Amino acid sequence: MSDNPETGHRLNPRSPREAIQPEPAPPPPGRSRHVRNPVVMLLNLVMTILVVGIVIGGAFLYWGKLQFDEPGPLTQDKTIIVPQGATLDSITGSLERQGVISEGWVFSTGVRIYKNAAKLKAGEYLFKARSSMQDVMNTMVEGKAILHGVTIPEGFTSEQVVARLNANDILIGDLTAIPPEGSLLPDTYKFNRGTTRQQVLDRMKNAHDRALDEIWNRRADDLPIETPEELVILASIVEKETGRADERSRVAGVFINRLKRGMRLESDPTILYGLHGGSAWQESRTILRSELNKPNAYNTYQINGLPPGPIANPGRAAMEAVANPSRTDEIFFVADGTGGHQFSSTLEQHNRNVARWREVEKKRREEAEKAAAEKAAEDAAGEATDGTGNGEAPAAN
């Protein structure tokens, strides 16, 4: 029997031998016309390229991430200054030149991928040894710059404050104007390299305003003080009268009691400020009797009540002492020779305390004169020898 023309299968075998022969396999299907289409072929090529590109790109990113996170080349801690207005490229170049990072393009690419290119802050940074590029980026984004400090002691005049800020060689920009007396809060102020002196001065002014507002709102009810400005004036006097923290409230209590009784404050520092202004305490001064009676708008031996303005910049503790002074009946105090004061409620007690202080002063003066005489004698003996210790005068040339 013949083969089926469509399938190629035999319908009726011609012999038993033919019957057991395997049937021929069907021919392969014809190639689709779509496969041969140029568009399809182009798409296949593009897809292949994309897949390969993704694989290569992923491997590249993985390698870059490893580079970005691995320990850096620094063998020891290093300080780097990033100036204001520096671009990512200039920062990268500086870090690479100074050995903080090894591959600048990896760093800049990583910063851009993290979208931190515009977040790197200027300042002075301390990078630890072996800091990774990730560590370097995070430090600059968070602005963890080295902090410097300037300390303004309590009781500094505004003139002294400006002089100290101008003497600081890390701050920039000179100060010429002197702020009003009593308008600044003494403290230690931290700042980054590149901070201006005016910025620190502004911080001191703002800190003073905040502290004064807070303290004024917590003041005692029966104070003979009508305004925050008067509180600052009296606090500045307290600040210059005692440097001991345990005495501030007590000294403030004495002055409050005197104001309530209509007594003059009779504070020596007010005389000095009236005579010398903001430079009153830039050197050691002694009040002469002629100066005690000299006309002086700040001299509280001559005027009633408070002077016309502060005589220094008081600290927070002095202002708090005036706002909530000790509750005593004391109206006098005098130095006791140990850095503190003797307080008294009557003139009789005060006179005894003054007499003891005079004895202390007399003893100190005698000791100083004795020491000066001994030193002068030693100097004279030294000049009379030739430096060999044999007591012979040097030979004349």
Side-chain angles (χ1 to χ4, degrees), residues 5 7 14 21 31 62 82 84 97 106 119 130 132 171 234 265 281 284 320 345 351 393:
T7 65
R14 296 176 182 177
Q21 291 295 321
R31 190 169 182 180
Y62 178 73
V82 178
Q84 292 285 348
R97 284 193 302 273
V106 174
K119 298 179 182 178
R130 311 297 291 167
S132 68
L171 293 168
L234 186 54
L265 297 183
W281 293 282
S284 178
E320 289 178 341
S345 302
N351 288 336

Side-chain angles (χ1 to χ4, degrees), residues 143-397:
K144 294 180 178 178
I146 296 173
L147 289 179
H148 301 275
V150 58
T151 298
I152 306 300
E154 297 167 330
F156 256 33
T157 64
S158 293
E159 185 175 323
Q160 288 176 295
V161 172
V162 169
R164 174 152 299 191
L165 293 181
N166 279 335
N168 188 287
D169 58 3
I170 298 176
L171 293 168
I172 62 175
D174 291 333
L175 296 171
T176 55
I178 305 298
E181 202 71 77
S183 64
L184 309 172
L185 185 69
D187 203 344
T188 295
Y189 292 87
K190 299 292 185 179
F191 58 89
N192 297 327
R193 183 179 291 274
T195 300
T196 68
R197 294 177 175 86
Q198 186 61 53
Q199 287 174 324
V200 176
L201 206 64
D202 292 342
R203 286 173 58 192
M204 294 181 66
K205 175 66 168 62
N206 293 335
H208 166 84
D209 292 345
R210 289 194 302 269
L212 179 57
D213 184 64
E214 175 187 332
I215 293 169
W216 179 255
N217 290 331
R218 293 189 285 104
R219 72 190 186 282
D221 295 331
D222 58 344
L223 297 179
I225 295 175
E226 298 181 356
T227 65
E229 290 72 25
E230 289 185 351
L231 185 148
V232 173
I233 293 173
L234 186 54
S236 71
I237 297 174
V238 171
E239 194 73 85
K240 300 307 296 184
E241 284 285 3
T242 181
R244 288 180 48 167
D246 60 335
E247 284 191 350
R248 288 193 183 100
S249 294
R250 202 168 176 184
V251 170
V254 168
F255 287 134
I256 291 294
N257 289 340
R258 293 179 76 90
L259 288 174
K260 286 181 175 179
R261 299 186 187 191
M263 300 173 64
R264 289 178 175 173
L265 297 183
E266 298 184 349
S267 170
D268 291 353
T270 61
I271 301 175
L272 290 174
Y273 188 85
L275 292 172
H276 307 286
S279 62
W281 293 282
Q282 291 184 6
E283 59 183 76
S284 178
R285 301 180 189 275
T286 300
I287 300 175
L288 304 177
R289 185 169 296 278
S290 59
E291 294 174 330
L292 187 64
N293 300 320
K294 187 176 180 180
N296 182 335
Y298 282 80
N299 188 342
T300 51
Y301 284 86
Q302 299 174 349
I303 64 173
N304 296 321
L306 296 169
I311 63 172
N313 289 286
R316 175 184 284 271
M319 290 191 289
E320 289 178 341
V322 172
N324 292 279
S326 296
R327 300 290 178 171
T328 70
D329 59 355
E330 296 164 343
I331 53 176
F332 299 101
F333 64 88
V334 67
D336 62 4
T338 66
H341 294 85
Q342 289 285 339
F343 295 83
S344 53
S345 302
T346 66
L347 181 59
E348 182 182 2
Q349 293 173 334
H350 178 61
N351 288 336
R352 288 198 297 267
N353 292 337
V354 170
R356 281 194 290 268
W357 168 238
R358 297 299 183 214
E359 288 296 321
V360 171
E361 282 188 313
K362 180 181 177 182
K363 184 177 180 180
R364 288 180 176 176
R365 187 165 53 251
E366 291 173 350
E367 291 175 349
E369 291 173 352
K370 181 179 178 182
E374 291 175 350
K375 186 176 186 306
E378 291 175 359
D379 292 343
E383 292 176 358
T385 66
D386 62 0
T388 61
N390 58 12
E392 296 180 358
N397 293 331

Side-chain angles (χ1 to χ4, degrees), residues 32 34 38 114 213 235 278 305:
S32 171
H34 295 294
Y114 280 100
D213 184 64

Side-chain angles (χ1 to χ4, degrees), residues 78-87 90-98 100 120-127 136 139-140 144-146 148 169-170 172 192-195:
K78 190 163 190 176
T79 299
I80 302 294
I81 297 176
V82 178
Q84 292 285 348
T87 64
S90 65
I91 293 172
T92 301
S94 176
L95 293 174
E96 190 171 16
R97 284 193 302 273
Q98 300 189 63
V100 179
L120 302 181
K121 297 178 177 64
E124 181 180 13
Y125 294 96
L126 175 64
F127 295 114
V136 172
T139 297
M140 297 179 66
K144 294 180 178 178
I146 296 173
H148 301 275
D169 58 3
I170 298 176
I172 62 175
N192 297 327
R193 183 179 291 274
T195 300

